[in-house]
Amino acid sequence: MIDFLAELNEPQHQAVTHENGPLMIIAGAGSGKTRVLTYRIAHLMGSGVDAFNILSLTFTNKAAEEMRHRIEKIIGSEAKNLWMGTFHSVFAKILRFEGFRLGYTSNFTIYDTDDSKSLLKTIVKEFNLDDKTYKPNFILNRISGAKNNLISWQMYNENPVFQAEDISAQMPEIGRIYKTYAQRCFSANAMDFDDLLFNTNVLFRDYLDVLNKYQHKFKHVMVDEFQDTNISQYLITRKLSAVHQNICVVGDDAQSIYAFRGANIQNILNFKKDYPDLKVVKLEQNYRSTKNIVNAANSLIAKNKAQLEKKTFSDNEEGDRIEVIKAHSDNEEGKIIANTIFESKHQGLRNQDFAILYRTNAQSRAFEEALRKLNIKYRIIGGLSFYQRKEIKDLLGYLRYTVNQQDEEAFKRIINLPKRGIGDSTVAKIVVMASENQKSVWEIICNIKQYLEGRAMNSIETFTNLIKSYIIMEEEGKDAHTIAMNIAKTTGILHELYIDKTVEGVARHENVQELLNSIKQFVDNPENEDKTLGSFLQTVSLLTNADQEEDGDPDKVTMMTIHGAKGLEFKHVFVVGLEENLFPSQMMLRSREDLEEERRLFYVAITRAEKKLTLSYAEQRYNWGKLNFCEKSRFIDEIDPAYLKFDDRGSSYTPKGFDFESFGRKERPVVTAPPTRSQAIANLKPVSQAKPAPVHVPTVDFVPSDTKNLKPGDKVEHQKFGFGEVKKLDNLGPTAKAVIHFDSEGEKTLLLSFAKLRIVE
DNA sequence: GGCGTAACACTTTTT
DNA sequence: GTGTTACGCC
């Protein structure tokens, strides 16, 4: 075996060679953590442990793949058999095999955040609640928090503490929403992200034979980024390693930045209590950054109270002081940083050596524009990912529905797409029918003429026949690419985008082609044994932001949020937007008052830098069309000023060495961006449109905007039927309904979401 | 009933 | 600046 142990320092060596019994590695930033984990697995395999007995949980799928390749280089192709991946992807795989015990089929759908929110929205609407108080984001966070602490909807509704909290938040109905949400997901044969972990816990709790099987399979369990695991994840790993007791966790409490999603720093702090004979190894030497950067980071993190004792240090060169730039505006901030990058390239640095890190995705625009003007190539990680684009989700919707006809979110997305004359009211009727007859939407539309009539029915039959033809292909065992190609063609999605010659239409067509390509790659990849549509979908829905495909040119400036930068390193890092209320974030401070997590986030940002670090802030910033005046972030002042160097360059600053001549005196960007939607519209219409004077229209309180106040006995006015009285309200069904007795028309049942009613005082 | 247009609301971080 | 909803027209 290759002697890779020689190059390790003492604590690293201990961590790698510790074989049996629980182990905790506290790995400071830049301490060679990835190397230790890689070698540790290689060492275990070298001493006779089979690859398929090792489970290694990472934070991104990409990290897992990289590690697998590194191990492969040391130990050989046996590394292919390692179980590696994110918590979500590994346990989704296990649930595919074992989920039938909980009532799911093997091709269950994974709801992403958008699906979850859309489902919550419909539930709120059905309950006739005000969607301004009941915000899907908030409810989802609440439900997610409950699930991550293993609180089922039953437990949630039985516990008066939660109800008291919800009442004080003006949302007493959250318990009921949670219940309905969970039941809907289940009947749609779907799990959201949190369910993947929650259900794994249920599975291991209720089916001891299953637990036993995996306990014996995984002789070694390793968890990377342990500081960012939540209770649910921790319990899974604890159960899995209960037999062999070979659990190895790696983490750094100073880099815990996911408490907002349920990560629990107590996991690290309490780990010792759960494993009394725990061996702890601390990796404290930073090999990544200069002394200046490490010291500055230490001086900042010292302000935090909750942390384990450790002393990180660097034996590297002293390095430059940290530069702090004050800019007049957000756009100027972009220009200055783009210019700095442009100049630094003469000092032998390449694009790929730079990273621009910000707190929120929305901040990327000023930097994009500035970099494009100087013809500097960049890539953005995160933000709206490829798989969140409308055209992609549309095609994926068809794929999902082909695999799982219970998937109502997919149904709602594709039923009238491309337009086939099936409108909202028809869809609403189908949903009502389904719930009244205790059947799934699919069963209704397969026999639609038994239930409803009207001109949309023929379109619905065409639709079901289309889907049926895809299902047959799936049952015949055709691979994912063949089916997806067929769907893209026969639905007309591809054609519709093909004939759309607008800029966006062309881009969308390309995107769909790209998706089809990636499915082809998935099918052609010999490492994927299961080439079915179901298998592809499960992989796709668990891709992380860091898993984005590259276009082959690696020499680009990287832009991303600090959260996305975890585990990465760059020669020169810019941390931008250091303004009070932006970083630390106003939201964070208002909702959780957790300044320490924001500080750790800043710590993570600083420690990404190898040689140089630049901090910047702007005095004014445009946010959603409004100009805001900003103050310098308190975090800059928390760094020991001995490590800082202040610089305020004006907006007239132009980069040295920028050759305007070769650009024809004009800034002529070679990297062209597609015009934005508004630009495209502006190109179509002349600007000379006179705006009509605003007309004052008296507002009328028509339902549904006011349904929350509607109760039996109310006198109402209907636009068409005139005056009447509410007899009965049925808001338990999928669509809220009211039985109203009208003076002229007699009794009528109305779908409230479409009725035009007004409450008469 | 369906579809196009205009006003409206929304901006934390991610699996 | 962008995506969603509501209204009014066909």
Side-chain angles (χ1 to χ4, degrees), chain A residues 80 127 221 295 311 367 519 634 691:
Chain A
K80 285 199 171 63
F127 283 3
V221 177
N295 290 340
K311 184 86 197 95
F367 300 99
I519 303 179
R634 70 183 87 178
K691 244 191 170 174

Side-chain angles (χ1 to χ4, degrees), chain A residues 274-500:
Chain A
D274 285 352
Y275 296 92
D277 53 344
L278 174 73
K279 179 173 172 71
V280 181
V281 176
K282 288 185 186 176
L283 308 179
E284 295 174 311
Q285 178 167 1
N286 183 319
Y287 293 97
R288 177 187 297 153
S289 317
T290 62
K291 281 202 178 86
N292 234 303
I293 291 168
V294 172
N295 290 340
N298 283 341
S299 74
L300 173 88
I301 205 68
K303 311 266 178 194
N304 273 5
K305 293 203 178 88
Q307 53 182 319
L308 294 175
E309 198 189 322
K310 73 173 161 315
K311 184 86 197 95
T312 61
F313 65 98
S314 166
D315 274 348
N316 294 345
E317 55 176 356
E318 189 80 28
D320 291 343
R321 286 210 270 184
I322 296 166
E323 193 177 29
V324 182
I325 295 177
K326 175 170 83 177
H328 294 311
S329 66
D330 45 359
N331 284 330
E332 198 198 68
E333 186 185 31
K335 270 191 211 163
I336 293 177
I337 282 166
N339 291 346
T340 313
I341 293 176
F342 187 90
E343 278 183 10
S344 308
K345 288 214 286 183
H346 297 291
Q347 297 158 20
L349 288 178
R350 309 206 290 162
N351 287 338
Q352 63 195 17
D353 296 327
F354 297 95
I356 302 174
L357 306 181
Y358 34 73
R359 178 68 235 271
T360 70
N361 281 308
Q363 285 166 254
S364 67
R365 215 170 54 213
F367 300 99
E368 283 184 73
E369 275 172 30
L371 289 174
R372 226 184 285 129
K373 277 187 183 155
L374 293 181
N375 202 21
I376 299 171
K377 292 206 177 104
Y378 61 84
R379 60 179 175 156
I380 295 182
I381 295 179
L384 248 193
S385 85
F386 181 74
Y387 291 99
Q388 285 173 301
R389 285 165 211 249
K390 185 186 174 298
E391 62 275 17
I392 300 301
K393 293 201 84 169
D394 289 345
L395 183 51
L396 286 177
Y398 273 99
L399 306 185
R400 275 166 58 173
Y401 203 59
T402 303
V403 170
N404 172 16
Q405 291 86 44
Q406 315 302 116
D407 186 345
E408 264 193 51
E409 292 306 308
F411 167 80
K412 280 190 270 183
R413 177 171 272 275
I414 63 174
I415 177 74
N416 197 26
L417 200 139
K419 299 245 154 42
R420 35 171 89 85
I422 305 166
D424 291 344
S425 49
T426 311
V427 174
K429 277 185 202 158
I430 295 172
V431 174
V432 171
M433 271 299 161
S435 115
E436 276 178 358
N437 292 287
Q438 307 280 327
K439 289 194 164 140
S440 73
V441 168
W442 175 244
E443 287 171 287
I444 300 290
I445 60 171
C446 278
N447 304 297
I448 189 69
K449 292 198 167 161
Q450 291 174 20
Y451 296 98
L452 296 167
E453 49 189 23
R455 60 186 149 146
M457 299 314 127
N458 287 327
S459 311
I460 291 176
E461 281 193 332
T462 319
F463 174 78
T464 49
N465 287 332
L466 215 51
I467 298 290
K468 276 179 191 161
S469 74
Y470 307 146
I471 296 174
I472 291 171
M473 289 182 80
E474 231 250 329
E475 283 168 353
E476 284 172 350
K478 295 260 190 341
D479 66 65
H481 180 252
T482 314
I483 304 176
M485 205 55 174
N486 183 267
I487 290 178
K489 282 182 184 157
T490 51
T491 53
I493 289 184
L494 214 48
H495 183 69
E496 188 189 43
L497 294 174
Y498 178 71
I499 54 174
D500 182 355

Side-chain angles (χ1 to χ4, degrees), chain A residues 70-213:
Chain A
R70 291 168 77 151
I71 297 170
E72 223 172 322
K73 274 190 190 153
I74 303 173
I75 218 94
S77 64
E78 175 67 3
K80 285 199 171 63
N81 296 325
L82 286 165
W83 277 67
M84 289 183 124
T86 60
F87 270 92
H88 290 86
S89 61
V90 166
F91 295 109
K93 195 169 165 188
I94 289 179
L95 283 167
R96 270 199 100 181
F97 293 122
E98 314 287 351
F100 69 91
R101 295 164 202 264
L102 305 176
Y104 295 89
T105 70
S106 72
N107 47 20
F108 64 87
T109 299
I110 298 171
Y111 273 179
D112 66 14
T113 315
D114 288 338
D115 297 317
S116 300
K117 277 193 246 176
S118 139
L119 176 53
L120 284 170
K121 254 188 197 165
T122 32
I123 294 172
V124 167
K125 208 170 179 182
E126 285 169 20
F127 283 3
N128 273 329
L129 299 167
D130 180 12
D131 57 358
K132 281 184 185 118
T133 28
Y134 286 87
K135 288 187 178 152
N137 256 328
F138 184 93
I139 308 172
L140 188 58
N141 275 337
R142 188 90 179 136
I143 294 177
S144 171
K147 282 185 190 164
N148 286 330
N149 286 303
L150 297 182
I151 295 157
S152 64
W153 62 263
Q154 292 93 339
M155 288 156 74
Y156 192 97
N157 280 299
E158 281 162 13
N159 192 331
V161 175
F162 297 124
Q163 297 184 20
E165 280 170 3
D166 289 341
I167 288 168
S168 70
Q170 310 284 317
M171 282 176 265
E173 299 287 353
I174 287 187
R176 217 170 108 222
I177 297 175
Y178 183 8
K179 176 183 172 188
T180 313
Y181 173 77
Q183 289 173 337
R184 287 288 175 83
C185 285
F186 182 74
S187 62
N189 193 22
M191 298 191 203
D192 67 15
F193 289 134
D194 305 312
D195 286 334
L196 293 171
L197 305 172
F198 184 88
N199 286 332
T200 304
N201 268 297
V202 174
L203 185 73
F204 288 164
R205 184 196 62 197
D206 295 348
Y207 297 88
L208 292 179
D209 53 322
V210 181
L211 175 62
N212 220 270
K213 178 171 146 195

Side-chain angles (χ1 to χ4, degrees), chain A residues 521-702:
Chain A
Q521 277 174 26
F522 174 85
V523 171
D524 290 345
N525 186 345
E527 282 180 27
N528 295 322
E529 285 159 27
D530 187 350
K531 299 183 190 307
T532 60
L533 210 47
S535 161
F536 173 77
L537 286 174
Q538 300 237 329
T539 315
V540 145
S541 37
L542 292 172
L543 284 181
T544 63
N545 265 331
D547 297 328
Q548 281 174 29
E549 300 261 328
E550 296 294 337
D551 68 356
D553 181 5
D555 189 27
K556 291 176 176 170
V557 174
T558 305
M559 289 196 262
M560 59 185 146
T561 62
I562 303 167
H563 283 90
K566 197 165 76 158
L568 304 177
E569 56 186 22
F570 301 90
K571 289 219 168 64
H572 190 166
V573 169
F574 299 87
V575 186
V576 301
L578 278 160
E579 293 133 39
E580 210 48 34
N581 294 334
L582 183 59
F583 192 18
S585 153
Q586 190 186 16
M587 282 279 178
M588 185 68 129
L589 296 186
R590 217 176 17 200
S591 60
R592 301 198 300 116
E593 291 174 16
D594 199 350
L595 187 62
E596 297 212 343
E597 178 157 325
E598 291 284 286
R599 198 178 277 124
R600 289 193 295 268
L601 194 57
F602 191 34
Y603 177 83
V604 169
I606 294 174
T607 53
R608 296 313 96 194
E610 291 172 40
K611 304 274 180 217
K612 261 194 106 171
L613 177 64
T614 306
L615 312 176
S616 77
Y617 64 99
E619 292 176 306
Q620 14 182 300
R621 177 177 297 278
Y622 274 98
N623 254 353
W624 54 101
K626 262 194 208 149
L627 183 67
N628 295 328
F629 292 89
C630 316
E631 278 175 47
K632 182 170 72 168
S633 167
R634 70 183 87 178
F635 286 159
I636 293 182
D637 298 321
E638 285 179 359
I639 299 175
D640 185 335
Y643 306 116
L644 301 178
K645 176 173 77 185
F646 291 87
D647 178 358
D648 38 290
R649 282 177 252 188
S651 54
S652 58
Y653 177 81
T654 46
K656 286 176 219 143
F658 183 71
D659 183 9
F660 281 100
E661 289 300 325
S662 72
F663 276 73
R665 276 262 155 230
K666 278 184 181 167
E667 296 167 334
R668 181 158 45 98
V670 177
V671 191
T672 46
T676 62
R677 196 179 83 155
S678 52
Q679 283 168 336
I681 292 170
N683 287 340
L684 293 174
K685 288 182 206 159
V687 210
S688 62
Q689 286 176 346
K691 244 191 170 174
V695 185
H696 177 72
V697 185
T699 51
V700 192
D701 298 337
F702 278 117

